[in-house]
C-alpha cells in the first residue's frame, strides 16, 4: 500500500476501535480518492446532525407565586428521541427472553414486527385468524411506550408473504380478500399502530400485480379511508445498491404521487447485497434522490451478513474494501451508516433488522454474537443513540428564571434544585420557549 493510501485510510476513525490499522493489513486495499470522499461525506453528515436534529430551547421557571426562580440549578436529562430508532422485534420465550427485551428497550423506541403481522401468519387458513402472537407483541410495546409499525400488509412473496390458500382463488375473490384483509388488520390495531407497510416490495411482486395492476393504488386508498391519521409506507429493497432499480422505484412512486394516491413514507431496505458495504456517498445521494419526492424516508431493514454458515467471516461484496468482514469492520460500517442517515433531513427513522445474531436470517448481522456477548457494533450504536445524540446537562437559571440550551429533539426530564417534583416535557421543534410552573 502506498503512502497516499495510508494517509487517507489513517484519517478514518471510529471511537476506540482502531479501524485504520485494520485497513492497513494486506487483506484490505482501497482507492485513495474514494476513501477521502467517504471521510468527507461522514464529516458533512455530522455537521448536518447539529443543524437538523437539534434546536435552541428556552425554559422559563416560575414558582407558585408567579415569580421567576432565579440562580437555581436545573438538571436536564433527555430520556428519549423523537427520531425513530427502530428494531425488528422477535420475541421468543426462550432462555434469553428477558435479556432480549432489556437490550431492545435500551436502544430502540420503535418496533417492526418481523413476522407476526404478515398475512401468512395471521390467516393461515381462510377465515381462521390467529392474532395471538401479534397481540402479545403489541401489549409489550404498549407497556414500554414503543411505537409500532405494521409490517407487511401486502407482500406478494409466495413463500413468505402469502397464505397458501390465497394463491388458489380466482382473481375476483383475491381482490375481495385483499380488501377484507386490509380492513381486518387495520381496524383491529388502528388505535395504536399508526405506521403501516401497506405495500411491501412491489417491484419484485410475484402475485398481486398479476391479479390487478392497480392493486397497490386500491390498497392505499382503502388504508387511508380506514385510518386517515396513519402513515402509509411503500417499502422496497435493493434500491441503494442498484441504480437501475432505484430509478424504477422512483418512477413507480412518482406515478402514484402524480395520481394523488395516498402514501406518506418511502421505505428503503438496506441489506442488499446481503454482505455488501454501501458506498456512503451513494447512500447520501440515494436519500436526497428520493427526498425530492417530498415524502419522509425510513430506512426499514438495515443489516449486513458478516458470517458464513460455518461461522467463518464472509467476504465484503462490491465495496471499496476487498477482503472479509470482521467485528471491527461491522462496527465501522454500522456507525457511519447511521451517521449518514441521521444526518439527512429526509430521514425520520432507521430500523436495525438484527439485534441478536441467533435471531437473524442474515448471519452475523446482529449486535450480540451467538453467545449473547456484545459486539463492537453494539458499543458504537449504543454510544450514538444513548450518549452522543442525547442531551444532558446541569444549568443555572439567570435573573429572569430562565435557562437556554441546544439539545436533540425528544422527551426530557427536568429537575429543579430544592423541589421534589420531576417534570417531563417534549422538545420537538427548534427555537421553542417553554414555561414551566414549579410548585
Amino acid at each position: 500500500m502506498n503512502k497516499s493510501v495510508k494517509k487517507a485510510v489513517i484519517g478514518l476513525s471510529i471511537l476506540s476501535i482502531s479501524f485504520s490499522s485494520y485497513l492497513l493489513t494486506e487483506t484490505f486495499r482501497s482507492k485513495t480518492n474514494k476513501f477521502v470522499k467517504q471521510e468527507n461525506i461522514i464529516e458533512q453528515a455530522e455537521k448536518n446532525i447539529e443543524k437538523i436534529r437539534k434546536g435552541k430551547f428556552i425554559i422559563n421557571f416560575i414558582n407558585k407565586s408567579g415569580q421567576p426562580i432565579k440562580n437555581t440549578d436545573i438538571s436536564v436529562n433527555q430520556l428519549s428521541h423523537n427520531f425513530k430508532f427502530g428494531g425488528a422485534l422477535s420475541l421468543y420465550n426462550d432462555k434469553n427472553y428477558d435479556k432480549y427485551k432489556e437490550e431492545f428497550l435500551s436502544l430502540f423506541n420503535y418496533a417492526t414486527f418481523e413476522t407476526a403481522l404478515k398475512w401468512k401468519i395471521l390467516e393461515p387458513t381462510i377465515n381462521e385468524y390467529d392474532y395471538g402472537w401479534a397481540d402479545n407483541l403489541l401489549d409489550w410495546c404498549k407497556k414500554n411506550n414503543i411505537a409500532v409499525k405494521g409490517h407487511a400488509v401486502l407482500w406478494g412473496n409466495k413463500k413468505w408473504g402469502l397464505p397458501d390458500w390465497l394463491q388458489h382463488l380466482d382473481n375476483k375473490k383475491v381482490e375481495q380478500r385483499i380488501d377484507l384483509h386490509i380492513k381486518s388488520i387495520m381496524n383491529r390495531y388502528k388505535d395504536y399502530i399508526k405506521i403501516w407497510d401497506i405495500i411491501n416490495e412491489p417491484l419484485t411482486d410475484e402475485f398481486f400485480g398479476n391479479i390487478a395492476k392497480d392493486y397497490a393504488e386500491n390498497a392505499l386508498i382503502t388504508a387511508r379511508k380506514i385510518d386517515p391519521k396513519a402513515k402509509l409506507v411503500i417499502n422496497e429493497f435493493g434500491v441503494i445498491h442498484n441504480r437501475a432499480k432505484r430509478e424504477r422505484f422512483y418512477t413507480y412512486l412518482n406515478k402514484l404521487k402524480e395520481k394523488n394516491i395516498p402514501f406518506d413514507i418511502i421505505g428503503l431496505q438496506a441489506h442488499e447485497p446481503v454482505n455488501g458495504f454501501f458506498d456512503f456517498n451513494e447512500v447520501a445521494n440515494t436519500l436526497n434522490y428520493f427526498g425530492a419526492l417530498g415524502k419522509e424516508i425510513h430506512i426499514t431493514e438495515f443489516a449486513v451478513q458478516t458470517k458464513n454458515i460455518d461461522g467463518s467471516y464472509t467476504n465484503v461484496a462490491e465495496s471499496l474494501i476487498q477482503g472479509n468482514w470482521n467485528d471491527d469492520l461491522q462496527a465501522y460500517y454500522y456507525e457511519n451508516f447511521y451517521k449518514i442517515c441521521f444526518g439527512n433531513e429526509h430521514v425520520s427513522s432507521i430500523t436495525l433488522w438484527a439485534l441478536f445474531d441467533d435471531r437473524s436470517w442474515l448471519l452475523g448481522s446482529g449486535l450480540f454474537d451467538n453467545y449473547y456477548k456484545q459486539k463492537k457494533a453494539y458499543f458504537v450504536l449504543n454510544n450514538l443513540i444513548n450518549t452522543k445524540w442525547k442531551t444532558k446537562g446541569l444549568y443555572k437559571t439567570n435573573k429572569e428564571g430562565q435557562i437556554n440550551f441546544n439539545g436533540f429533539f425528544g422527551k426530557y426530564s427536568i429537575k429543579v434544585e430544592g423541589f421534589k417534583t420531576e417534570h417531563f416535557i417534549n422538545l420537538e421543534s427548534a427555537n421553542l420557549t417553554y414555561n414551566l410552573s414549579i410548585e
Side-chain angles (χ1 to χ4, degrees), residues 85-91 98-113 140-141 146-147 351-352 355-356 368:
F85 289 106
L89 186 60
S90 302
L91 277 181
D98 290 335
K99 181 175 178 58
Y100 182 90
K101 291 189 293 183
E102 177 185 353
E103 299 298 348
F104 192 98
L105 293 175
S106 75
L107 287 172
F108 306 130
N109 59 9
Y110 179 51
T112 298
F113 295 176
W140 183 78
C141 288
I146 299 292
T351 291
L352 184 69
L355 182 57
F356 284 14
F368 292 78

PDB file of all heavy atoms in Angstrom, residues 85-91 98-113 140-141 146-147 351-352 355-356 368:
ATOM      1  N   PHE A  85     -35.567   5.399  16.295  1.00  0.00           N
ATOM      2  CA  PHE A  85     -34.520   4.386  16.217  1.00  0.00           C
ATOM      3  C   PHE A  85     -35.188   3.045  16.460  1.00  0.00           C
ATOM      4  O   PHE A  85     -35.632   2.741  17.576  1.00  0.00           O
ATOM      5  CB  PHE A  85     -33.428   4.644  17.253  1.00  0.00           C
ATOM      6  CG  PHE A  85     -32.564   5.833  16.946  1.00  0.00           C
ATOM      7  CD1 PHE A  85     -32.697   7.012  17.653  1.00  0.00           C
ATOM      8  CD2 PHE A  85     -31.626   5.769  15.923  1.00  0.00           C
ATOM      9  CE1 PHE A  85     -31.905   8.113  17.361  1.00  0.00           C
ATOM     10  CE2 PHE A  85     -30.829   6.871  15.622  1.00  0.00           C
ATOM     11  CZ  PHE A  85     -30.959   8.040  16.338  1.00  0.00           C
ATOM     12  N   GLY A  86     -35.303   2.236  15.413  1.00  0.00           N
ATOM     13  CA  GLY A  86     -36.120   1.035  15.483  1.00  0.00           C
ATOM     14  C   GLY A  86     -35.343  -0.259  15.416  1.00  0.00           C
ATOM     15  O   GLY A  86     -34.163  -0.298  15.054  1.00  0.00           O
ATOM     16  N   GLY A  87     -36.062  -1.319  15.767  1.00  0.00           N
ATOM     17  CA  GLY A  87     -35.520  -2.658  15.653  1.00  0.00           C
ATOM     18  C   GLY A  87     -36.599  -3.622  15.196  1.00  0.00           C
ATOM     19  O   GLY A  87     -37.792  -3.410  15.454  1.00  0.00           O
ATOM     20  N   ALA A  88     -36.180  -4.674  14.504  1.00  0.00           N
ATOM     21  CA  ALA A  88     -37.111  -5.750  14.156  1.00  0.00           C
ATOM     22  C   ALA A  88     -37.357  -6.554  15.426  1.00  0.00           C
ATOM     23  O   ALA A  88     -36.420  -7.068  16.034  1.00  0.00           O
ATOM     24  CB  ALA A  88     -36.532  -6.628  13.063  1.00  0.00           C
ATOM     25  N   LEU A  89     -38.612  -6.652  15.829  1.00  0.00           N
ATOM     26  CA  LEU A  89     -38.947  -7.280  17.105  1.00  0.00           C
ATOM     27  C   LEU A  89     -39.229  -8.762  16.911  1.00  0.00           C
ATOM     28  O   LEU A  89     -40.148  -9.150  16.204  1.00  0.00           O
ATOM     29  CB  LEU A  89     -40.166  -6.579  17.721  1.00  0.00           C
ATOM     30  CG  LEU A  89     -40.563  -7.026  19.125  1.00  0.00           C
ATOM     31  CD1 LEU A  89     -39.429  -6.802  20.119  1.00  0.00           C
ATOM     32  CD2 LEU A  89     -41.812  -6.291  19.589  1.00  0.00           C
ATOM     33  N   SER A  90     -38.401  -9.578  17.584  1.00  0.00           N
ATOM     34  CA  SER A  90     -38.543 -11.040  17.521  1.00  0.00           C
ATOM     35  C   SER A  90     -38.522 -11.582  18.940  1.00  0.00           C
ATOM     36  O   SER A  90     -37.475 -11.993  19.442  1.00  0.00           O
ATOM     37  CB  SER A  90     -37.406 -11.662  16.701  1.00  0.00           C
ATOM     38  OG  SER A  90     -37.374 -11.148  15.397  1.00  0.00           O
ATOM     39  N   LEU A  91     -39.664 -11.549  19.606  1.00  0.00           N
ATOM     40  CA  LEU A  91     -39.745 -12.025  20.990  1.00  0.00           C
ATOM     41  C   LEU A  91     -40.117 -13.502  21.016  1.00  0.00           C
ATOM     42  O   LEU A  91     -41.211 -13.896  20.617  1.00  0.00           O
ATOM     43  CB  LEU A  91     -40.795 -11.230  21.765  1.00  0.00           C
ATOM     44  CG  LEU A  91     -40.378  -9.886  22.360  1.00  0.00           C
ATOM     45  CD1 LEU A  91     -41.552  -9.268  23.110  1.00  0.00           C
ATOM     46  CD2 LEU A  91     -39.191 -10.038  23.284  1.00  0.00           C
ATOM     47  N   ASP A  98     -35.627 -12.481  28.573  1.00  0.00           N
ATOM     48  CA  ASP A  98     -35.501 -11.262  29.376  1.00  0.00           C
ATOM     49  C   ASP A  98     -34.353 -10.383  28.894  1.00  0.00           C
ATOM     50  O   ASP A  98     -34.480  -9.154  28.857  1.00  0.00           O
ATOM     51  CB  ASP A  98     -35.310 -11.620  30.851  1.00  0.00           C
ATOM     52  CG  ASP A  98     -36.569 -12.205  31.477  1.00  0.00           C
ATOM     53  OD1 ASP A  98     -37.668 -11.897  30.964  1.00  0.00           O
ATOM     54  OD2 ASP A  98     -36.444 -12.967  32.447  1.00  0.00           O
ATOM     55  N   LYS A  99     -33.240 -10.998  28.523  1.00  0.00           N
ATOM     56  CA  LYS A  99     -32.103 -10.212  28.036  1.00  0.00           C
ATOM     57  C   LYS A  99     -32.446  -9.513  26.735  1.00  0.00           C
ATOM     58  O   LYS A  99     -32.097  -8.339  26.534  1.00  0.00           O
ATOM     59  CB  LYS A  99     -30.873 -11.102  27.833  1.00  0.00           C
ATOM     60  CG  LYS A  99     -29.639 -10.336  27.343  1.00  0.00           C
ATOM     61  CD  LYS A  99     -28.418 -11.217  27.281  1.00  0.00           C
ATOM     62  CE  LYS A  99     -27.212 -10.448  26.740  1.00  0.00           C
ATOM     63  NZ  LYS A  99     -26.872  -9.252  27.528  1.00  0.00           N
ATOM     64  N   TYR A 100     -33.150 -10.216  25.862  1.00  0.00           N
ATOM     65  CA  TYR A 100     -33.531  -9.619  24.589  1.00  0.00           C
ATOM     66  C   TYR A 100     -34.403  -8.394  24.820  1.00  0.00           C
ATOM     67  O   TYR A 100     -34.184  -7.328  24.225  1.00  0.00           O
ATOM     68  CB  TYR A 100     -34.275 -10.637  23.727  1.00  0.00           C
ATOM     69  CG  TYR A 100     -34.668 -10.106  22.367  1.00  0.00           C
ATOM     70  CD1 TYR A 100     -33.819 -10.241  21.284  1.00  0.00           C
ATOM     71  CD2 TYR A 100     -35.896  -9.463  22.172  1.00  0.00           C
ATOM     72  CE1 TYR A 100     -34.173  -9.746  20.018  1.00  0.00           C
ATOM     73  CE2 TYR A 100     -36.252  -8.971  20.935  1.00  0.00           C
ATOM     74  CZ  TYR A 100     -35.395  -9.112  19.869  1.00  0.00           C
ATOM     75  OH  TYR A 100     -35.745  -8.602  18.642  1.00  0.00           O
ATOM     76  N   LYS A 101     -35.393  -8.504  25.699  1.00  0.00           N
ATOM     77  CA  LYS A 101     -36.281  -7.379  25.980  1.00  0.00           C
ATOM     78  C   LYS A 101     -35.501  -6.199  26.562  1.00  0.00           C
ATOM     79  O   LYS A 101     -35.711  -5.046  26.182  1.00  0.00           O
ATOM     80  CB  LYS A 101     -37.383  -7.815  26.948  1.00  0.00           C
ATOM     81  CG  LYS A 101     -38.387  -8.782  26.352  1.00  0.00           C
ATOM     82  CD  LYS A 101     -39.562  -9.012  27.278  1.00  0.00           C
ATOM     83  CE  LYS A 101     -39.159  -9.736  28.535  1.00  0.00           C
ATOM     84  NZ  LYS A 101     -40.334 -10.021  29.409  1.00  0.00           N
ATOM     85  N   GLU A 102     -34.616  -6.499  27.472  1.00  0.00           N
ATOM     86  CA  GLU A 102     -33.821  -5.445  28.105  1.00  0.00           C
ATOM     87  C   GLU A 102     -32.962  -4.706  27.081  1.00  0.00           C
ATOM     88  O   GLU A 102     -32.902  -3.471  27.070  1.00  0.00           O
ATOM     89  CB  GLU A 102     -32.933  -6.058  29.185  1.00  0.00           C
ATOM     90  CG  GLU A 102     -32.008  -5.069  29.874  1.00  0.00           C
ATOM     91  CD  GLU A 102     -31.058  -5.741  30.850  1.00  0.00           C
ATOM     92  OE1 GLU A 102     -31.193  -6.961  31.096  1.00  0.00           O
ATOM     93  OE2 GLU A 102     -30.157  -5.046  31.363  1.00  0.00           O
ATOM     94  N   GLU A 103     -32.300  -5.448  26.223  1.00  0.00           N
ATOM     95  CA  GLU A 103     -31.412  -4.822  25.239  1.00  0.00           C
ATOM     96  C   GLU A 103     -32.202  -4.075  24.172  1.00  0.00           C
ATOM     97  O   GLU A 103     -31.773  -3.009  23.704  1.00  0.00           O
ATOM     98  CB  GLU A 103     -30.503  -5.884  24.597  1.00  0.00           C
ATOM     99  CG  GLU A 103     -29.594  -6.617  25.568  1.00  0.00           C
ATOM    100  CD  GLU A 103     -28.609  -5.702  26.272  1.00  0.00           C
ATOM    101  OE1 GLU A 103     -28.450  -4.529  25.875  1.00  0.00           O
ATOM    102  OE2 GLU A 103     -27.974  -6.166  27.245  1.00  0.00           O
ATOM    103  N   PHE A 104     -33.338  -4.612  23.792  1.00  0.00           N
ATOM    104  CA  PHE A 104     -34.183  -3.918  22.811  1.00  0.00           C
ATOM    105  C   PHE A 104     -34.587  -2.555  23.351  1.00  0.00           C
ATOM    106  O   PHE A 104     -34.473  -1.524  22.670  1.00  0.00           O
ATOM    107  CB  PHE A 104     -35.416  -4.764  22.494  1.00  0.00           C
ATOM    108  CG  PHE A 104     -36.204  -4.280  21.304  1.00  0.00           C
ATOM    109  CD1 PHE A 104     -36.023  -4.862  20.060  1.00  0.00           C
ATOM    110  CD2 PHE A 104     -37.130  -3.241  21.412  1.00  0.00           C
ATOM    111  CE1 PHE A 104     -36.741  -4.422  18.946  1.00  0.00           C
ATOM    112  CE2 PHE A 104     -37.843  -2.793  20.323  1.00  0.00           C
ATOM    113  CZ  PHE A 104     -37.653  -3.388  19.081  1.00  0.00           C
ATOM    114  N   LEU A 105     -35.045  -2.528  24.596  1.00  0.00           N
ATOM    115  CA  LEU A 105     -35.506  -1.277  25.197  1.00  0.00           C
ATOM    116  C   LEU A 105     -34.372  -0.288  25.422  1.00  0.00           C
ATOM    117  O   LEU A 105     -34.602   0.925  25.432  1.00  0.00           O
ATOM    118  CB  LEU A 105     -36.208  -1.563  26.520  1.00  0.00           C
ATOM    119  CG  LEU A 105     -37.539  -2.319  26.428  1.00  0.00           C
ATOM    120  CD1 LEU A 105     -38.070  -2.637  27.817  1.00  0.00           C
ATOM    121  CD2 LEU A 105     -38.566  -1.518  25.649  1.00  0.00           C
ATOM    122  N   SER A 106     -33.165  -0.777  25.597  1.00  0.00           N
ATOM    123  CA  SER A 106     -32.039   0.127  25.843  1.00  0.00           C
ATOM    124  C   SER A 106     -31.648   0.919  24.603  1.00  0.00           C
ATOM    125  O   SER A 106     -31.045   1.989  24.708  1.00  0.00           O
ATOM    126  CB  SER A 106     -30.829  -0.658  26.359  1.00  0.00           C
ATOM    127  OG  SER A 106     -30.199  -1.393  25.321  1.00  0.00           O
ATOM    128  N   LEU A 107     -32.000   0.400  23.420  1.00  0.00           N
ATOM    129  CA  LEU A 107     -31.587   1.045  22.169  1.00  0.00           C
ATOM    130  C   LEU A 107     -32.736   1.653  21.375  1.00  0.00           C
ATOM    131  O   LEU A 107     -32.563   2.695  20.734  1.00  0.00           O
ATOM    132  CB  LEU A 107     -30.872   0.023  21.271  1.00  0.00           C
ATOM    133  CG  LEU A 107     -29.474  -0.412  21.668  1.00  0.00           C
ATOM    134  CD1 LEU A 107     -29.011  -1.561  20.781  1.00  0.00           C
ATOM    135  CD2 LEU A 107     -28.492   0.738  21.599  1.00  0.00           C
ATOM    136  N   PHE A 108     -33.896   1.026  21.402  1.00  0.00           N
ATOM    137  CA  PHE A 108     -34.927   1.345  20.419  1.00  0.00           C
ATOM    138  C   PHE A 108     -36.175   1.960  21.052  1.00  0.00           C
ATOM    139  O   PHE A 108     -36.571   1.625  22.172  1.00  0.00           O
ATOM    140  CB  PHE A 108     -35.327   0.089  19.650  1.00  0.00           C
ATOM    141  CG  PHE A 108     -34.169  -0.641  19.018  1.00  0.00           C
ATOM    142  CD1 PHE A 108     -33.986  -2.010  19.196  1.00  0.00           C
ATOM    143  CD2 PHE A 108     -33.252   0.059  18.242  1.00  0.00           C
ATOM    144  CE1 PHE A 108     -32.926  -2.671  18.604  1.00  0.00           C
ATOM    145  CE2 PHE A 108     -32.177  -0.604  17.653  1.00  0.00           C
ATOM    146  CZ  PHE A 108     -32.016  -1.972  17.834  1.00  0.00           C
ATOM    147  N   ASN A 109     -36.815   2.842  20.287  1.00  0.00           N
ATOM    148  CA  ASN A 109     -38.109   3.414  20.686  1.00  0.00           C
ATOM    149  C   ASN A 109     -39.200   3.080  19.675  1.00  0.00           C
ATOM    150  O   ASN A 109     -40.292   3.647  19.715  1.00  0.00           O
ATOM    151  CB  ASN A 109     -37.994   4.932  20.856  1.00  0.00           C
ATOM    152  CG  ASN A 109     -37.529   5.642  19.589  1.00  0.00           C
ATOM    153  OD1 ASN A 109     -37.439   5.039  18.520  1.00  0.00           O
ATOM    154  ND2 ASN A 109     -37.228   6.926  19.701  1.00  0.00           N
ATOM    155  N   TYR A 110     -38.900   2.138  18.774  1.00  0.00           N
ATOM    156  CA  TYR A 110     -39.770   1.874  17.621  1.00  0.00           C
ATOM    157  C   TYR A 110     -39.562   0.422  17.212  1.00  0.00           C
ATOM    158  O   TYR A 110     -38.420  -0.052  17.146  1.00  0.00           O
ATOM    159  CB  TYR A 110     -39.375   2.825  16.508  1.00  0.00           C
ATOM    160  CG  TYR A 110     -40.118   2.742  15.200  1.00  0.00           C
ATOM    161  CD1 TYR A 110     -41.505   2.764  15.136  1.00  0.00           C
ATOM    162  CD2 TYR A 110     -39.414   2.698  13.992  1.00  0.00           C
ATOM    163  CE1 TYR A 110     -42.161   2.736  13.923  1.00  0.00           C
ATOM    164  CE2 TYR A 110     -40.063   2.676  12.779  1.00  0.00           C
ATOM    165  CZ  TYR A 110     -41.438   2.689  12.740  1.00  0.00           C
ATOM    166  OH  TYR A 110     -42.091   2.673  11.533  1.00  0.00           O
ATOM    167  N   ALA A 111     -40.655  -0.284  16.971  1.00  0.00           N
ATOM    168  CA  ALA A 111     -40.556  -1.709  16.651  1.00  0.00           C
ATOM    169  C   ALA A 111     -41.293  -2.043  15.364  1.00  0.00           C
ATOM    170  O   ALA A 111     -42.398  -1.548  15.114  1.00  0.00           O
ATOM    171  CB  ALA A 111     -41.130  -2.548  17.785  1.00  0.00           C
ATOM    172  N   THR A 112     -40.672  -2.887  14.566  1.00  0.00           N
ATOM    173  CA  THR A 112     -41.337  -3.504  13.429  1.00  0.00           C
ATOM    174  C   THR A 112     -41.481  -4.977  13.742  1.00  0.00           C
ATOM    175  O   THR A 112     -40.487  -5.655  14.019  1.00  0.00           O
ATOM    176  CB  THR A 112     -40.511  -3.332  12.143  1.00  0.00           C
ATOM    177  OG1 THR A 112     -40.371  -1.941  11.847  1.00  0.00           O
ATOM    178  CG2 THR A 112     -41.186  -4.020  10.968  1.00  0.00           C
ATOM    179  N   PHE A 113     -42.707  -5.466  13.734  1.00  0.00           N
ATOM    180  CA  PHE A 113     -42.916  -6.893  13.972  1.00  0.00           C
ATOM    181  C   PHE A 113     -42.381  -7.643  12.747  1.00  0.00           C
ATOM    182  O   PHE A 113     -42.948  -7.550  11.664  1.00  0.00           O
ATOM    183  CB  PHE A 113     -44.395  -7.210  14.178  1.00  0.00           C
ATOM    184  CG  PHE A 113     -45.003  -6.588  15.413  1.00  0.00           C
ATOM    185  CD1 PHE A 113     -46.352  -6.719  15.670  1.00  0.00           C
ATOM    186  CD2 PHE A 113     -44.227  -5.872  16.314  1.00  0.00           C
ATOM    187  CE1 PHE A 113     -46.928  -6.147  16.802  1.00  0.00           C
ATOM    188  CE2 PHE A 113     -44.778  -5.300  17.453  1.00  0.00           C
ATOM    189  CZ  PHE A 113     -46.144  -5.445  17.689  1.00  0.00           C
ATOM    190  N   TRP A 140     -46.749  -5.797  24.858  1.00  0.00           N
ATOM    191  CA  TRP A 140     -45.423  -5.484  25.409  1.00  0.00           C
ATOM    192  C   TRP A 140     -44.960  -4.103  24.960  1.00  0.00           C
ATOM    193  O   TRP A 140     -44.427  -3.327  25.753  1.00  0.00           O
ATOM    194  CB  TRP A 140     -44.418  -6.551  24.969  1.00  0.00           C
ATOM    195  CG  TRP A 140     -43.049  -6.338  25.546  1.00  0.00           C
ATOM    196  CD1 TRP A 140     -42.631  -6.635  26.812  1.00  0.00           C
ATOM    197  CD2 TRP A 140     -41.921  -5.781  24.877  1.00  0.00           C
ATOM    198  NE1 TRP A 140     -41.313  -6.295  26.965  1.00  0.00           N
ATOM    199  CE2 TRP A 140     -40.842  -5.770  25.805  1.00  0.00           C
ATOM    200  CE3 TRP A 140     -41.700  -5.299  23.583  1.00  0.00           C
ATOM    201  CZ2 TRP A 140     -39.578  -5.287  25.475  1.00  0.00           C
ATOM    202  CZ3 TRP A 140     -40.447  -4.813  23.254  1.00  0.00           C
ATOM    203  CH2 TRP A 140     -39.397  -4.805  24.189  1.00  0.00           C
ATOM    204  N   CYS A 141     -45.193  -3.768  23.699  1.00  0.00           N
ATOM    205  CA  CYS A 141     -44.798  -2.451  23.189  1.00  0.00           C
ATOM    206  C   CYS A 141     -45.588  -1.341  23.874  1.00  0.00           C
ATOM    207  O   CYS A 141     -45.031  -0.291  24.214  1.00  0.00           O
ATOM    208  CB  CYS A 141     -45.007  -2.390  21.672  1.00  0.00           C
ATOM    209  SG  CYS A 141     -43.813  -3.384  20.730  1.00  0.00           S
ATOM    210  N   ILE A 146     -43.291   1.809  23.249  1.00  0.00           N
ATOM    211  CA  ILE A 146     -42.598   1.589  21.981  1.00  0.00           C
ATOM    212  C   ILE A 146     -43.599   1.771  20.840  1.00  0.00           C
ATOM    213  O   ILE A 146     -44.633   1.097  20.794  1.00  0.00           O
ATOM    214  CB  ILE A 146     -42.002   0.159  21.912  1.00  0.00           C
ATOM    215  CG1 ILE A 146     -40.988  -0.053  23.028  1.00  0.00           C
ATOM    216  CG2 ILE A 146     -41.378  -0.098  20.547  1.00  0.00           C
ATOM    217  CD1 ILE A 146     -39.731   0.767  22.900  1.00  0.00           C
ATOM    218  N   ALA A 147     -43.308   2.702  19.943  1.00  0.00           N
ATOM    219  CA  ALA A 147     -44.148   2.865  18.752  1.00  0.00           C
ATOM    220  C   ALA A 147     -44.001   1.637  17.858  1.00  0.00           C
ATOM    221  O   ALA A 147     -42.950   0.982  17.857  1.00  0.00           O
ATOM    222  CB  ALA A 147     -43.753   4.128  17.998  1.00  0.00           C
ATOM    223  N   THR A 351     -34.305   1.471  11.089  1.00  0.00           N
ATOM    224  CA  THR A 351     -34.615   0.222  11.785  1.00  0.00           C
ATOM    225  C   THR A 351     -33.520  -0.802  11.527  1.00  0.00           C
ATOM    226  O   THR A 351     -33.235  -1.152  10.385  1.00  0.00           O
ATOM    227  CB  THR A 351     -35.971  -0.344  11.333  1.00  0.00           C
ATOM    228  OG1 THR A 351     -37.017   0.513  11.818  1.00  0.00           O
ATOM    229  CG2 THR A 351     -36.203  -1.741  11.885  1.00  0.00           C
ATOM    230  N   LEU A 352     -32.921  -1.271  12.611  1.00  0.00           N
ATOM    231  CA  LEU A 352     -31.924  -2.341  12.536  1.00  0.00           C
ATOM    232  C   LEU A 352     -32.663  -3.669  12.491  1.00  0.00           C
ATOM    233  O   LEU A 352     -33.531  -3.928  13.336  1.00  0.00           O
ATOM    234  CB  LEU A 352     -30.999  -2.281  13.748  1.00  0.00           C
ATOM    235  CG  LEU A 352     -29.848  -3.288  13.767  1.00  0.00           C
ATOM    236  CD1 LEU A 352     -28.821  -2.952  12.692  1.00  0.00           C
ATOM    237  CD2 LEU A 352     -29.181  -3.309  15.142  1.00  0.00           C
ATOM    238  N   LEU A 355     -30.827  -7.758  16.159  1.00  0.00           N
ATOM    239  CA  LEU A 355     -30.254  -7.433  17.455  1.00  0.00           C
ATOM    240  C   LEU A 355     -29.359  -8.568  17.937  1.00  0.00           C
ATOM    241  O   LEU A 355     -28.203  -8.355  18.277  1.00  0.00           O
ATOM    242  CB  LEU A 355     -31.378  -7.176  18.472  1.00  0.00           C
ATOM    243  CG  LEU A 355     -30.964  -6.769  19.874  1.00  0.00           C
ATOM    244  CD1 LEU A 355     -30.108  -5.509  19.867  1.00  0.00           C
ATOM    245  CD2 LEU A 355     -32.181  -6.589  20.778  1.00  0.00           C
ATOM    246  N   PHE A 356     -29.888  -9.780  17.947  1.00  0.00           N
ATOM    247  CA  PHE A 356     -29.111 -10.967  18.319  1.00  0.00           C
ATOM    248  C   PHE A 356     -28.770 -11.751  17.052  1.00  0.00           C
ATOM    249  O   PHE A 356     -29.634 -11.967  16.205  1.00  0.00           O
ATOM    250  CB  PHE A 356     -29.919 -11.875  19.250  1.00  0.00           C
ATOM    251  CG  PHE A 356     -30.014 -11.397  20.674  1.00  0.00           C
ATOM    252  CD1 PHE A 356     -29.662 -10.104  21.026  1.00  0.00           C
ATOM    253  CD2 PHE A 356     -30.463 -12.257  21.667  1.00  0.00           C
ATOM    254  CE1 PHE A 356     -29.758  -9.664  22.337  1.00  0.00           C
ATOM    255  CE2 PHE A 356     -30.567 -11.834  22.985  1.00  0.00           C
ATOM    256  CZ  PHE A 356     -30.214 -10.530  23.324  1.00  0.00           C
ATOM    257  N   PHE A 368     -25.215  -8.644  19.061  1.00  0.00           N
ATOM    258  CA  PHE A 368     -24.785  -9.629  20.050  1.00  0.00           C
ATOM    259  C   PHE A 368     -24.481 -10.930  19.320  1.00  0.00           C
ATOM    260  O   PHE A 368     -25.247 -11.357  18.463  1.00  0.00           O
ATOM    261  CB  PHE A 368     -25.881  -9.863  21.093  1.00  0.00           C
ATOM    262  CG  PHE A 368     -26.138  -8.686  21.986  1.00  0.00           C
ATOM    263  CD1 PHE A 368     -26.887  -7.611  21.547  1.00  0.00           C
ATOM    264  CD2 PHE A 368     -25.621  -8.655  23.268  1.00  0.00           C
ATOM    265  CE1 PHE A 368     -27.131  -6.516  22.362  1.00  0.00           C
ATOM    266  CE2 PHE A 368     -25.850  -7.564  24.095  1.00  0.00           C
ATOM    267  CZ  PHE A 368     -26.605  -6.493  23.642  1.00  0.00           C
TER     268      PHE A 368
END
